Amino acid sequence: MRLRGIGRSKNVIRRSGGAGKAGGLGLVGVLAVLAIGYFTGIDVTPLLTGQSGGQVQQSRPLSDSEDPQVDFAARVLTTTEQVWSRVFQEQLGETYTPPQLVVFENVTQSACGGASGATGPFYCPADNMAYLDTAFFRTLDQRLGAGGDFAAAYVIAHEVAHHVQNEIGVLPQVARMRQQSSEVEANALTVRLELMADCFSGIWASNVEGLMEKGDLEEALNAARMIGDDHLQRQAGQVPQPHTFTHGTSEQRARWFERGYESGEMAQCDTFKADQL
C-alpha cells in the first residue's frame, strides 16, 4: 500500500504504561470477547489478563519519531477519514465525524470496559473510539495467516466501518435488538452487522485504489477469509457451529467485502435486508 504523501491523522492517541499479559484464550475465545466488546459495558480485562486491575496509562499525541506500525496506522486512519467524508457527503448528504484511534500496549480501558491485545482491535460506540494494539498485526500474520500491509489496513478500516455504522444509527439499533433476542438470534444479528462492516471496508478499499499495489486486494480478501468463524473454529480443532457464529463464514466475509469494493455504494451493503448472506 502506497502511503507516501499521506499525512498522519490527528485523531490518534498513543497510550503507554499498561501492564499485564493476555491470558491463554483460544481463537474461539477471542471471537467471543470481541462480541462482548462491541455491545456491552462489561470489563473483561480480568478474564484476559488474570489481574484485578492494571497500571494507569498515560495518553499523548503522536511524536515525530513513532514506531513504524503506529505511523502506518495513523496514515491508514487518514485514508478512512478522506474516504468517508467524501462518501457521506456524496451518498448521504451528511457530514462525517471521524473516530479517534487509541493505540495501546497490552491492556487499556475503554468506555466499553477493558481492552486487551488478546481481543484484537475493536470499536467502542460509547466513546466513539477504535482500539488497537499493533502487536495484533503480528498475530494476524503469524497466527492467522493474513500477512501484508493491506491486510493490516483492512483491519483498521473494518473498525472504522463500525464507527460508520454508529454514525448512521445501525449500531445502536442492533444493540437494542440484541437485548430483546435469544443468544442464537443475537449472534445472527451480530453476523449481519459484521458483514455490513466488511462491505463498508470494501467501499473504503475501492476509494483508495490509487494507493493500492499489486496483490493488495487479495491480501484483504485473504484476511477476510482467515477470520471467518468457520475457519477459526476449524483452526481451534472444532467442528463449525453456525449458531455460534458472530462474524460470518470466510466465504461470506470475502464476498461482502467484494460487494462493497465493486459497488462503492453504502446502499448495497444493507445486510439486514438481504434474504441470503
Side-chain angles (χ1 to χ4, degrees):
M1 185 177 187
R2 303 183 187 94
L3 290 175
R4 183 175 297 177
I6 301 296
R8 298 191 306 188
S9 171
K10 297 180 180 180
N11 290 310
V12 179
I13 299 171
R14 191 78 162 97
R15 286 187 186 170
S16 58
K21 190 174 182 179
L25 279 179
L27 293 177
V28 175
V30 168
L31 282 174
V33 177
L34 274 169
I36 293 172
Y38 290 138
F39 294 106
T40 74
I42 299 173
D43 185 351
V44 295
T45 303
L47 299 177
L48 298 167
T49 65
Q51 299 175 355
S52 59
Q55 297 178 5
V56 176
Q57 291 193 319
Q58 296 180 338
S59 298
R60 61 170 175 79
L62 299 187
S63 64
D64 292 335
S65 56
E66 273 297 346
D67 180 287
Q69 290 185 322
V70 177
D71 183 80
F72 170 81
R75 295 179 193 277
V76 170
L77 189 64
T78 294
T79 69
T80 68
E81 293 165 351
Q82 294 171 341
V83 167
W84 288 112
S85 292
R86 184 167 62 251
V87 170
F88 265 50
Q89 183 61 48
E90 293 177 353
Q91 298 186 21
L92 304 178
E94 297 179 6
T95 300
Y96 174 66
T97 303
Q100 290 186 306
L101 174 64
V102 178
V103 182
F104 65 95
E105 297 173 1
N106 298 317
V107 294
T108 191
Q109 288 292 319
S110 76
C112 294
S116 164
T119 67
F122 75 102
Y123 173 72
C124 175
D127 57 18
N128 294 316
M129 292 182 176
Y131 290 80
L132 170 69
D133 184 340
T134 55
F136 181 75
F137 293 152
R138 290 193 296 273
T139 300
L140 194 66
D141 183 10
Q142 298 170 9
R143 284 186 59 193
L144 300 180
D149 58 354
F150 205 74
Y154 154 73
V155 168
I156 296 171
H158 181 90
E159 299 315 320
V160 171
H162 285 303
H163 175 71
V164 171
Q165 291 173 320
N166 200 36
E167 286 285 287
I168 63 177
V170 171
L171 207 58
Q173 182 179 3
V174 173
R176 290 191 295 270
M177 292 168 65
R178 279 174 52 90
Q179 292 174 353
Q180 302 169 3
S181 303
S182 68
E183 182 177 354
V184 172
E185 291 169 338
N187 287 344
L189 288 168
T190 308
V191 167
R192 290 181 182 269
L193 193 73
E194 291 297 327
L195 294 178
M196 179 186 285
D198 282 325
C199 190
F200 284 169
S201 300
I203 292 177
W204 161 80
S206 70
N207 280 274
V208 297
E209 193 170 359
L211 304 177
M212 293 171 65
E213 299 175 296
K214 184 177 180 180
D216 278 353
L217 179 59
E218 183 52 41
E219 282 182 9
L221 291 171
N222 179 61
R225 297 184 191 105
M226 291 301 102
I227 53 178
D229 287 324
D230 55 338
H231 178 74
L232 290 177
Q233 289 186 1
R234 288 191 188 96
Q235 290 294 99
Q238 299 183 10
V239 176
Q241 301 289 326
H243 67 281
T244 68
F245 290 175
T246 55
H247 288 65
T249 67
S250 295
E251 187 274 334
Q252 288 171 334
R253 300 201 70 171
R255 179 159 45 80
W256 279 95
F257 179 92
E258 283 188 297
R259 182 167 179 159
Y261 182 81
E262 292 172 358
S263 72
E265 297 289 333
M266 294 181 71
Q268 294 296 318
C269 294
D270 192 347
T271 53
F272 292 92
K273 290 183 178 178
D275 294 331
Q276 283 190 316
L277 296 176

